[in-house]
Amino acid sequence: MNRNTPRHDWITKGLIRSCNKKSALYKKFKNDPSTFNKSSYILYRNKLKSLLFKAEKDYYCCKFKSFQGNLRKTWQLLREVMHNSRNINVVNNFIADDGSIITNPQKVVDNFNDYFVNIGDFQAASILPPSNYQLYQSDKTFVNSFIFHPTDAYEIVQIVNTLQDKSSFGIDCIPTTIMKHSILHISEVVSALINCSFRTGKFPNQLKIAKVCPIYKGEANNCFSNYRPISVLPCFSKIFEKAAYNRILSYVNVNNIIINNQYGFRRDHSAYMAILDMCNYITESIDEHNFSAGVFIDLSKAFDTLNQDLLLHKLEGYGIRGIALHWFKDYLYNRKQYVVFNNYSSSFKDITCGVPQGSILGPLLFILYINDIVLCSKLLKFILFADDTNLFFSSKSIKDLQNIINTELDKLSNWFRIIKLSINVSKTKFILFGKRSKFCCNPNFCLKIDGKIIEQVKSTKFLGIFIDVDLS
């Protein structure tokens, strides 16, 4: 590398000249190690070191300020500062379920696809429905049905401009960046295709194929279960979905369908509001000298095990009927995926349950799927953020607190089993809130789900922050 070429973006031409001068002083000191040459070199080196530190600090301070409000770019910059590389060594052999070693690259990607496709089915099949099978129904009726009103070229351009700039692409090999440059020329055609889709209740099959990229999570890198599937859908699928999303969200908001306890993926709602809601509830209980408990539920593969038939039944109950319901049915059914790993592609596999990963509609559909969770308990305080489920209750008596929560947890567990969602009890925690004089780790205070003891902790993570027993 040329000595005048900056190694970092924050190094200026002046700093390069100073680095060259330091090198010259060092060379002079090595050739003539006199006291004067030594002191000159050390003095200049130390001064330059402080200047380099200040230049780097000022550069990244300005960069962080410029990315204020953009979490994605902020995290990218943090990784750059920390030199955090996500690259891992290429793995050529994997361990199959039967313990055999797979070395053929094509078999590796096919096994990856089998694992990712079947994980939701296996999880759902392991959830046995309760003996007292009952679906909770809202008292609210929706006389007017939802309909898809047509789109136009202007809306299509607006939708594409709101999509994130990404160079990744699905089976269509069209990244978002290319779509943004060409949308003005094809917006009329795209709007006509979407309107045809809305009129006929059909979602194009080619847009239902997901490209899945396994991302290494940790531990043994030759084990399929230690990889997270990242699903990339065709670029045009996002436009179809966003047009449908805008219409269903408007209908949901106008009819006030989503419960107030849900803070995830909703306009004018955020994790901060959920945190404030929780803090207000706990502090009021503490001020009234009550015992309060918070149970932080962990769900296993919630988006993957969702029952599609039950989701359509719930959508119909919310007023999505006729051709609109057929459109959502066609959108959910007959989806396929394939895996790309180490430049090899697997064959296609059918997806039979769950909502599409990486989709725009997926989170909203999941929220509607669990929207009636509050009906299974009239006593618990629910605070939800998509599949992040947290519940709270307070009482003057710690004994009543334990008995009531355990009774309500049984109802909640039954509700989850009915809709084919599974609670991961080993990762579920609870905190007993209260003033220090009241708090105690009494072994007799015990909360259970399906006969399994929930771990009591003094602090836990809640929507990105850590909370403890006295909210300090």
Side-chain angles (χ1 to χ4, degrees):
M1 181 182 290
N2 192 310
R3 63 189 301 177
N4 292 321
T5 302
R7 295 183 180 181
H8 303 283
D9 294 337
W10 49 269
I11 293 183
T12 63
K13 291 182 178 179
L15 289 174
I16 291 175
R17 289 195 295 269
S18 298
C19 290
N20 292 338
K21 184 177 180 180
K22 185 199 76 168
S23 298
L25 288 173
Y26 179 73
K27 186 176 181 180
K28 184 178 180 180
F29 162 63
K30 295 298 288 183
N31 292 333
D32 181 14
S34 64
T35 305
F36 176 77
N37 287 342
K38 181 180 179 180
S39 61
S40 297
Y41 164 70
I42 292 176
L43 183 65
Y44 195 86
R45 181 199 64 186
N46 293 344
K47 180 65 175 176
L48 177 60
K49 188 177 180 180
S50 63
L51 288 174
L52 290 171
F53 177 80
K54 186 177 184 303
E56 183 179 14
K57 180 182 177 182
D58 292 344
Y59 170 81
Y60 282 111
C61 281
C62 291
K63 291 284 283 185
F64 276 116
K65 285 181 181 179
S66 67
F67 294 154
Q68 191 172 10
N70 190 327
L71 287 177
R72 183 168 174 264
K73 289 190 175 181
T74 299
W75 277 109
Q76 287 177 349
L77 185 59
L78 277 171
R79 295 189 190 101
E80 178 186 331
V81 174
M82 299 168 65
H83 308 290
N84 182 16
S85 174
R86 288 188 168 187
N87 295 328
I88 61 171
N89 295 327
V90 175
V91 184
N92 295 318
N93 51 16
F94 279 80
I95 302 175
D97 291 338
D98 59 3
S100 62
I101 303 298
I102 305 173
T103 57
N104 186 303
Q106 189 59 51
K107 289 185 177 180
V108 168
V109 291
D110 286 335
N111 274 265
F112 257 125
N113 205 21
D114 287 339
Y115 175 75
F116 290 145
V117 164
N118 293 326
I119 191 170
D121 291 328
F122 289 154
Q123 185 77 33
S126 67
I127 304 171
L128 300 177
S131 55
N132 53 338
Y133 192 94
Q134 175 192 358
L135 279 175
Y136 294 95
Q137 297 289 341
S138 173
D139 295 333
K140 191 174 181 180
T141 57
F142 300 90
V143 178
N144 298 323
S145 297
F146 166 78
I147 59 171
F148 281 119
H149 63 265
T151 183
D152 55 30
Y154 176 78
E155 184 186 9
I156 298 305
V157 173
Q158 294 295 107
I159 287 173
V160 173
N161 287 335
T162 59
L163 298 177
Q164 291 184 351
D165 288 323
K166 289 185 177 180
S167 57
S168 58
F169 50 84
I171 193 172
D172 57 358
C173 298
I174 303 174
T176 311
T177 50
I178 298 297
M179 175 63 70
K180 286 191 171 184
H181 283 93
S182 59
I183 191 59
L184 287 174
H185 306 285
I186 60 174
S187 56
E188 290 283 356
V189 176
V190 174
S191 63
L193 290 172
I194 293 176
N195 287 334
C196 180
S197 173
F198 287 164
R199 285 196 308 270
T200 60
K202 297 291 185 181
F203 191 86
N205 287 331
Q206 286 297 315
L207 302 186
K208 294 191 280 187
I209 302 174
K211 182 178 81 171
V212 176
C213 303
I215 301 298
Y216 176 62
K217 294 187 295 185
E219 299 183 6
N221 62 0
N222 62 346
C223 183
F224 295 112
S225 60
N226 291 332
Y227 286 78
R228 178 184 295 109
I230 301 299
S231 179
V232 184
L233 294 169
C235 191
F236 282 98
S237 172
K238 297 176 183 178
I239 306 175
F240 275 71
E241 287 191 53
K242 187 64 175 179
Y245 177 89
N246 291 340
R247 285 149 181 75
I248 189 68
L249 184 64
S250 176
Y251 172 80
V252 163
N253 289 337
V254 168
N255 290 277
N256 197 28
I257 292 176
I258 299 178
I259 56 177
N260 294 328
N261 311 67
Q262 178 62 256
Y263 291 91
F265 301 102
R266 296 180 64 193
R267 186 177 298 173
D268 300 325
H269 289 73
S270 66
Y272 301 109
M273 296 175 67
I275 293 168
L276 286 174
D277 189 8
M278 182 272 298
C279 289
N280 287 338
Y281 180 84
I282 299 301
T283 51
E284 286 179 5
S285 299
I286 292 175
D287 290 342
E288 294 172 0
H289 305 288
N290 290 340
F291 287 100
S292 293
V295 183
F296 306 90
I297 304 289
D298 184 87
L299 297 176
S300 299
K301 307 291 181 183
F303 281 69
D304 295 326
T305 62
L306 176 150
N307 185 284
Q308 296 172 344
D309 292 335
L310 184 53
L311 170 61
L312 292 170
H313 174 75
K314 292 191 175 191
L315 292 179
E316 188 174 16
Y318 290 131
I320 302 172
R321 309 180 182 100
I323 293 178
L325 186 64
H326 283 297
W327 188 92
F328 281 102
K329 182 177 181 179
D330 197 58
Y331 167 79
L332 290 169
Y333 288 175
N334 301 317
R335 302 193 74 92
K336 300 178 184 295
Q337 73 173 44
Y338 69 103
V339 169
V340 176
F341 185 72
N342 286 351
N343 297 321
Y344 282 83
S345 298
S346 72
S347 57
F348 289 177
K349 284 279 186 178
D350 292 328
I351 304 171
T352 58
C353 64
V355 291
Q357 295 290 328
S359 64
I360 293 174
L361 277 172
L364 179 58
L365 293 177
F366 183 85
I367 287 173
L368 292 172
Y369 186 69
I370 65 167
N371 192 55
D372 51 2
I373 188 174
V374 294
L375 300 178
C376 70
S377 174
K378 296 181 180 179
L379 299 177
L380 299 178
K381 162 76 172 177
F382 287 92
I383 297 180
L384 311 170
F385 196 94
D387 62 330
D388 202 330
T389 306
N390 311 280
L391 49 95
F392 303 86
F393 187 70
S394 62
S395 174
K396 291 287 185 184
S397 166
I398 195 167
K399 185 177 180 180
D400 290 342
L401 183 73
Q402 174 180 278
N403 293 336
I404 291 174
I405 292 181
N406 277 324
T407 301
E408 299 305 302
L409 282 176
D410 286 338
K411 298 178 183 177
L412 181 66
S413 176
N414 284 343
W415 182 84
F416 275 128
R417 287 160 63 190
I418 290 170
I419 66 168
K420 290 295 183 180
L421 296 183
S422 175
I423 299 176
N424 188 343
V425 182
S426 64
K427 291 186 178 181
T428 297
K429 315 292 180 185
F430 83 88
I431 293 180
L432 185 62
F433 296 98
K435 294 184 178 179
R436 292 185 182 275
S437 59
K438 282 191 172 184
F439 178 79
C440 61
C441 291
N442 189 338
N444 295 324
F445 188 90
C446 180
L447 298 182
K448 296 180 181 180
I449 296 178
D450 297 332
K452 300 177 182 177
I453 297 176
I454 305 173
E455 181 185 358
Q456 181 179 358
V457 295
K458 292 187 177 182
S459 67
T460 191
K461 200 171 185 179
F462 174 72
L463 300 181
I465 68 165
F466 284 94
I467 58 171
D468 58 13
V469 293
D470 49 9
L471 300 183
S472 62

